[in-house]
Each structure stands twice: as C-alpha cells, then as structure tokens.
C-alpha cells in the first residue's frame, strides 16, 4: 500500500466520539463510518464517496447539481403530455434508485428535507400529478 493510502487509512480509522453535557463526558464510542466533520478533507472525501449519484442521474437522463451534501435533480418538461409523462417517470425512477444506493451505502435520503418544485401550466401540473414524486 502506498504511503498516502496508509496516511488516509490512519486518518479515517480508530476514531471515537464523545458526548459532553455540563462538563460530564460519556464513554467514547467508536465511529465506524464517515469522515471528521469540519475537516479539510471531509468535503473532498464525501464528494468522491457520493460520485455514483451523478452516474445514476445521468443514466436516467436527469440533470443534476451537486454541492456538498445537497443535490438538485431537474428535468425540463416537454410540451407534449406523452414526453412530459416519460420525463416525470424518469425523475421518479432516478429518485428511487438514488435512495436505494444511499441506503446500501450507509447514507439516508432525508425525506423531511426533500422537496419537489414543478413549474408549468395549471393544466400540465394537473395532468401529470406530481404528488407521487
């Protein structure tokens, strides 16, 4: 193993966390996952770890923006019902696959912080029923 991999391994392994309330400290607990929050390498390592999210979006033909732990998925809807319906289905399948990937990789898609914003005519919004996304 190269020296840089040994260093990275040492950086991520054998870490603990401790809860402190009113100067009373709990017994340290081992951390098995994640990177030190607020660390210099944290954002880079997180970006590398979550890179497959972009691959999933591309596979479904969904546009995306990734910034730290925020992800925006978007699809410009076509004017025809058939094409817009297909695009809606694509983003739905994309979100499901991302949630599955996150679950299998020890991450959580926080539905409380997840929003869908749809722009379109009233008729298009009623016809497509985006409540299911």
């Amino acid at each position: 193993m190269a020296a840089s991999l040994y260093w990275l391994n040492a950086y991520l392994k054998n870490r603990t966390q401790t809860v402190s309330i009113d100067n009373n400290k709990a017994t340290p607990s081992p951390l098995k996952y994640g990177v030190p929050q607020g660390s210099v390498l944290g954002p880079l390592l997180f970006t590398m770890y979550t890179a497959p999210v972009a691959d999933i979006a591309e596979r479904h033909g969904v546009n995306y923006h990734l910034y730290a732990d925020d992800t925006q998925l978007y699809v410009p809807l076509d004017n025809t019902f058939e094409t817009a319906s297909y695009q809606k289905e694509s983003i739905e399948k994309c979100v499901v696959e991302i949630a599955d990937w996150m679950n299998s990789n020890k991450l959580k898609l926080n539905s409380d912080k997840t929003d869908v914003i749809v722009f379109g005519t009233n008729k298009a919004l009623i016809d497509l029923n985006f409540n299911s996304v």
Side-chain angles (χ1 to χ4, degrees), residues 58-69:
E58 288 174 3
R59 194 166 43 254
H60 289 277
V62 172
N63 298 308
Y64 61 90
H65 284 108
L66 307 173
Y67 181 77
D69 64 346

Side-chain angles (χ1 to χ4, degrees), residues 11-12 34-49 68:
Y11 175 71
L12 295 173
V35 296
Q37 193 167 4
S39 66
V40 173
L41 288 178
L44 175 64
L45 293 174
F46 182 81
T47 300
M48 290 169 56
Y49 187 70

